[in-house]
Amino acid sequence: MNRRSLMTLAAATGLTALAACSPMATTSQPDIVGVLSTNDQFSTLVAAVTAADLVETLQGDGPFTVFAPTDTAFAKLPAGTVETLLLPENRDTLVSILTYHVVPGAVTSDQLAGQTLSVATVEGSNVDIDGTHGVRVDGATVTQADIMASNGVIHRIDSVLMP
């Protein structure tokens, strides 16, 4: 890829300056799906990623920043919502919701500290990030930041984000 194409691609992510100085995990670490799969508090998210056929995508090179809702976050949704989203006929809606939780580039909490940003997600819409008092994403609180994976970083959040 020539330099101009690389710069155009980097600029398209919206987080070029932040992601450029992000410490990346070593390749001996599991990828994002591997990290999520080994943590019981993300079992609903892993089931949703599987149902949406996004496993291979989140195992790709990335890097990605994933705002990962816990099982407790999914439980806050109205009764039956998760079960309905997991149905094959609702795959497009599920993909939209899940990709709204993913931002291109690996961005750690120290890069967000003290900033308020509107950042493009993989889904295409922007999320509002407020790093002035901890980190909040579209109103969800980051309850554990900087869970490193070989292809990005995961931030555990307490609510499901809706595009």
Side-chain angles (χ1 to χ4, degrees):
M1 176 179 286
N2 66 38
R3 184 168 189 220
R4 184 176 178 157
S5 295
L6 182 60
M7 295 306 286
T8 302
L9 178 64
T13 67
L15 286 175
T16 307
L18 291 175
C21 58
S22 175
M24 280 304 299
T26 64
T27 55
S28 64
Q29 290 179 303
D31 59 45
I32 288 169
V33 175
V35 171
L36 294 172
S37 296
T38 60
N39 189 322
D40 289 343
Q41 62 188 316
F42 296 120
S43 60
T44 304
L45 179 58
V46 171
V49 166
T50 302
D53 200 23
L54 291 172
V55 171
E56 283 187 35
T57 301
L58 290 177
Q59 289 176 326
D61 292 338
F64 305 107
T65 298
V66 176
F67 298 103
T70 61
D71 292 350
T72 303
F74 279 102
K76 290 181 188 178
L77 295 172
T81 301
V82 173
E83 294 77 11
T84 300
L85 287 170
L86 294 176
L87 295 172
E89 60 268 24
N90 296 321
R91 182 180 177 276
D92 290 344
T93 302
L94 182 59
V95 167
S96 178
I97 292 168
L98 293 175
T99 56
Y100 187 69
H101 289 78
V102 181
V103 173
V107 183
T108 57
S109 61
D110 62 325
Q111 294 169 311
L112 300 172
Q115 298 190 58
T116 55
L117 305 164
S118 182
V119 180
T121 66
V122 172
E123 180 266 342
S125 301
N126 285 6
V127 290
D128 294 323
I129 300 173
D130 182 350
T132 57
H133 300 288
V135 178
R136 294 182 59 81
V137 181
D138 275 3
T141 300
V142 172
T143 57
Q144 182 181 0
D146 305 333
I147 304 167
M148 300 308 291
S150 64
N151 61 343
V153 61
I154 301 163
H155 302 291
R156 182 180 68 197
I157 58 175
D158 65 353
S159 299
V160 176
L161 307 176
M162 292 294 182

